[in-house]
Amino acid sequence: MIVIGELINTSREGLEEAVKNRDVEFIQDLAKKQEEAGSDYIDVNCGTLLKEEVEAMEWLVKTVQEVVDVPLCIDSPNPKALKRGLEVHEGKALVNSISAEEDRFAETLEILKEHDARIVALTMDDEGMPKSAEDRIRVGKKLIDDLKDAGIAEDDIFVDPIINPIGTDQQVGHYILDAIEEIVMEYPDVHITCGLSNISHGLPQRHLLNRAFVTLAMSRGMDSAIMDPLDPKIMALVTAADTLLGNDQYCAGYIQAAKSGKLDI
C-alpha cells in the first residue's frame, strides 16, 4: 500500500497560518511525523493561498525535503504552482493531478514530461464530475491510454476514481469499488489512489468510515491512498489488509510492524 500523507494542506486548521508565517518548525515537524508513521509520499498543498500559491509551494517543497527522505506529492490544480514545485523537488515526485479535461490535460502533461514525474489522474472530463461507476471507468481508461500514448509508464499513473461523500449518495461506495476492480483488471500495472477521507465528509465518527472503506477498496485492487498516517488504527488495518491480500511476502511487513509496536491499537 502506497500511503500519501495528507496533513500538509492549507485547508486544514492551523496550516494556512503556518505557511503564511513560514513556520519552518511546525511544517517540518508535521512532515517528519508522517514519514515516521509510514508515509511513502508527503502531500504538499497550499491551494487556499490563491495570490501566493506559487511562492508558497516552492517554500513548502524546499522546507519539507530538508527533513524527510521520502518524495513529495505536489498537489495543486494550478499549473504554475506544479511547475514551481517540481523545479525545486529533488528526485521523482508525484503530481496531483491531471484530468481528462482537454485544456488541463495538455498543460499538465507538458509539465509532467519535462520533470519526469508520476501523476494522479482524476476521472473527470469536460462533462464534469463522474456520476457512476461507468463514468469513472470510461474516463479512467481514456486517461490511461492517452498518458501511455504520451510515453508515461503505467507504473507512474495513479488513477483516482474521485470519491464523493457517502452521505450525499448511498451508492457511491459501490461505484468506486466497481470502478477500481474494472480498471485494475485491464491495467494491472496502474496504481489506484483516492482522497480517502472524502467518503466520510459531513458524517459523525469519520475515522470509522475511513477505516472500513480503505480495507474494502484494497480488496478490489486499490494500492494507494491520500490519508492520515497519524491515525494508528487505520495504518494497522492497512498493514493487516496488505498481508491478508498476499502483498506482504512471508508476512515480513506485518511481523516488523508488530515488533515495533505499530499494531498495538
Side-chain angles (χ1 to χ4, degrees):
M1 182 70 164
I2 299 169
V3 174
I4 303 168
E6 70 178 3
L7 299 180
I8 300 178
N9 187 318
T10 55
S11 67
R12 300 177 65 87
E13 185 177 356
L15 267 294
E16 182 173 307
E17 182 180 354
V19 176
K20 280 184 175 180
N21 295 334
R22 301 298 193 260
D23 189 337
V24 172
E25 183 178 357
F26 181 90
I27 295 297
Q28 290 188 338
D29 181 62
L30 190 53
K32 287 188 291 185
K33 285 179 178 177
Q34 290 183 92
E35 181 183 36
E36 290 165 2
S39 292
D40 301 288
Y41 287 88
I42 305 296
D43 191 87
V44 287
N45 183 318
C46 49
T48 63
L49 305 178
L50 297 178
K51 294 183 179 180
E52 58 173 300
E53 184 186 7
V54 175
E55 293 75 18
M57 181 63 80
E58 178 180 353
W59 178 81
L60 268 179
V61 171
K62 288 180 176 179
T63 299
V64 172
Q65 284 210 299
E66 284 180 359
V67 294
V68 301
D69 293 324
V70 296
L72 307 189
C73 175
I74 300 174
D75 188 350
S76 174
N78 182 345
K80 291 181 180 179
L82 293 178
K83 184 174 177 63
R84 183 69 66 85
L86 286 167
E87 285 172 348
V88 296
H89 186 276
E90 298 176 5
K92 194 178 182 80
L94 176 63
V95 167
N96 189 5
S97 57
I98 201 169
S99 74
E101 298 164 289
E102 188 172 344
D103 291 343
R104 181 173 177 180
F105 183 89
E107 192 167 14
T108 307
L109 179 63
E110 183 178 345
I111 297 168
L112 180 68
K113 295 183 70 174
E114 180 183 352
H115 294 279
D116 187 32
R118 307 179 95 180
I119 186 68
V120 174
L122 292 175
T123 56
M124 179 172 63
D125 61 12
D126 289 314
E127 295 181 13
M129 296 285 283
K131 297 179 176 62
S132 64
E134 289 73 24
D135 286 345
R136 291 170 168 86
I137 293 164
R138 172 181 55 81
V139 178
K141 288 182 177 182
K142 183 181 189 308
L143 277 165
I144 295 167
D145 290 340
D146 287 349
L147 287 167
K148 287 174 62 179
D149 288 345
I152 308 300
E154 285 194 13
D155 184 54
D156 286 337
I157 301 170
F158 289 65
V159 173
D160 183 341
I162 303 182
I163 293 181
N164 303 119
I166 193 73
T168 64
D169 181 353
Q170 66 184 35
Q171 295 303 313
V172 74
H174 290 294
Y175 299 154
I176 300 298
L177 297 176
D178 290 348
I180 290 170
E181 187 169 48
E182 178 72 21
I183 293 169
V184 167
M185 284 179 63
E186 188 162 341
Y187 302 94
D189 292 328
V190 165
H191 302 281
I192 304 291
T193 194
C194 72
L196 180 64
S197 62
N198 290 342
I199 195 71
S200 62
H201 182 74
L203 292 173
Q205 299 294 335
R206 294 184 63 185
H207 288 311
L208 179 59
L209 292 168
N210 297 341
R211 293 165 190 161
F213 192 73
V214 74
T215 56
L216 290 171
M218 288 175 70
S219 74
R220 297 291 191 100
M222 188 180 79
D223 64 348
S224 171
I226 303 167
M227 55 187 276
D228 180 3
L230 302 189
D231 176 356
K233 291 185 178 180
I234 202 168
M235 293 297 285
L237 282 171
V238 164
T239 298
D242 252 344
T243 301
L244 292 169
L245 290 168
N247 301 325
D248 180 11
Q249 191 170 23
Y250 305 118
C251 303
Y254 185 84
I255 293 168
Q256 180 58 42
K259 287 181 177 178
S260 63
K262 291 184 177 180
L263 305 184
D264 298 337
I265 57 174

